Amino acid sequence: MQIQDKTSHQNAAPRGVFAWALYDFANTVFSMNIISRYFPLWVTQGHSAPDIYFSATLSISMLLVAVTSPALGAMSDTTGRRLGPLMWLTGACAAATALIGPVDSLLTGLILFAAANFCYQSAMTFYYGLLPSVSEGSSASRVAGYGVSLGYLGAIAALAMAMPVESVFGNGAVYPATALMYLAFSIPMFRLLRDPAPVAGARVDIIGAFRTLARTFAGARRNRSVFIFLGANFLILDAVHTVIAFMAIYASSVVGFESGELNIFLMTSTVGAAGGSLLWGWAAHRWSPLRTFGWVCGMWLFTMLLASVSVNKDMFWMVGPLAGAALGGVWVAGRSALAQMAPADRIGEYFGLYNMAGKAAAIVGPMTWGAVVYIFSPLGGTIPHRMAILSLAVFIAAGWRALRHIEYAGAK
């Protein structure tokens, strides 16, 4: 017990908190540069492949994440060992990312991306498992907020790093540079933090983890408000995850943004997300998370309609900060609403279901985008992509409508 207390104190020290939050900076470097910015265009422009190649690869990797996440969660909770798996997954993600750069084969690049994304997403299970020990004696929400804040900085830093690298060495050099940056900012956490309570010889009950998930789902079905909310949130995240992955393709193929313009566009989106998180957090506190979530949906609809009718760059420049602000609102209002609706003694289980729904949404949304672009491709021009973004607006509208059927004490 004395060792555990000493380790917890070490993790919760200011430098431990900073090191933990810095990992959010690191993994956002990967998310921004690889998922959102460079790899989608590597597929569609570098190899002249249809969008569905990227969407299918992204969806397959997320399906693997969704299938394995209960087992990884059980491993994290049962053994108490999180830093080791987190280190291996981070290293594997960085290695796969670096190897994309010199690859000429489309198939090989897609496989490497799928592996990198799987490792990146899976690592988050173990990363968030460290939060209780890091936030000991403080507010978990506050510590998590530090990570989110550094994550926004990481997104901007990633693009700022990539621009000169791309200019001097070409697109291929961005991948090893991103991998190196991801690793470099992860190191402080691995050096400073310790697993607070590792259990030697613990047996992981993987089947039990899936049974628990099934029981949680059955319990949520009996709670009408929570069940409707999870369904609505799933529809909304279908659109949100797809926008994150395909906005670079849309801005480049439909609007005609060049590389430098695209980087600046994504930076303005990130700044909008940071400001939007603060604004929507205040609104959720002032009124209610559910009402605020509805306003966020309205903002998403307006933004997608604006993107679909943008006929020049001047119009589309407004889409970036609006989409960023709406993105921040999804996380702030959505999580706050679930925290109010879920039973206090089962809130952890319900958030586990919330996270699973988010992973499932990252499967359906991208596949929908790829299918819509493929179906409308005979029409040519920018029509297929404009139809794709309108299909996302349908997801948002359906989710928004579902939210209106929720009733709970904090809704009004």
Side-chain angles (χ1 to χ4, degrees), residues 152 271-303 321-337 400:
Y152 290 133
V271 173
S277 296
L278 296 174
L279 173 64
W280 294 119
W282 172 81
H285 178 76
R286 173 65 177 79
W287 288 281
S288 79
L290 190 63
R291 180 180 295 181
T292 301
F293 206 9
W295 295 336
V296 170
C297 289
M299 189 173 190
W300 267 118
L301 274 180
F302 174 79
T303 302
L322 287 173
L327 177 64
V330 167
W331 311 128
V332 172
R335 291 167 183 169
S336 299
W400 191 6

Side-chain angles (χ1 to χ4, degrees), residues 218-368:
R221 289 189 64 181
R222 291 190 292 270
N223 188 324
R224 183 176 181 274
S225 292
V226 171
F227 191 68
I228 293 175
F229 172 81
L230 290 173
N233 191 66
F234 171 80
L235 292 169
I236 294 163
L237 289 183
D238 277 330
V240 170
H241 285 303
T242 308
V243 167
I244 292 172
F246 286 89
M247 189 53 71
I249 291 178
Y250 192 90
S252 177
S253 301
V254 176
V255 187
F257 273 9
E258 301 294 335
S259 181
E261 292 174 315
L262 185 52
N263 287 341
I264 295 173
F265 174 81
L266 293 174
M267 284 183 180
T268 62
S269 301
T270 303
V271 173
S277 296
L278 296 174
L279 173 64
W280 294 119
W282 172 81
H285 178 76
R286 173 65 177 79
W287 288 281
S288 79
L290 190 63
R291 180 180 295 181
T292 301
F293 206 9
W295 295 336
V296 170
C297 289
M299 189 173 190
W300 267 118
L301 274 180
F302 174 79
T303 302
M304 289 179 180
L305 292 174
L306 177 62
S308 70
V309 300
S310 292
V311 294
N312 55 50
K313 294 179 181 179
D314 290 338
M315 288 182 66
F316 197 72
W317 276 115
M318 294 185 290
V319 171
L322 287 173
L327 177 64
V330 167
W331 311 128
V332 172
R335 291 167 183 169
S336 299
L338 181 59
Q340 280 194 354
M341 286 185 287
D345 59 340
R346 301 185 66 187
I347 193 166
E349 293 182 19
Y350 278 49
F351 266 101
L353 199 59
Y354 170 90
N355 291 331
M356 280 291 295
K359 291 179 174 66
I363 301 169
V364 177
M367 282 303 298
T368 300

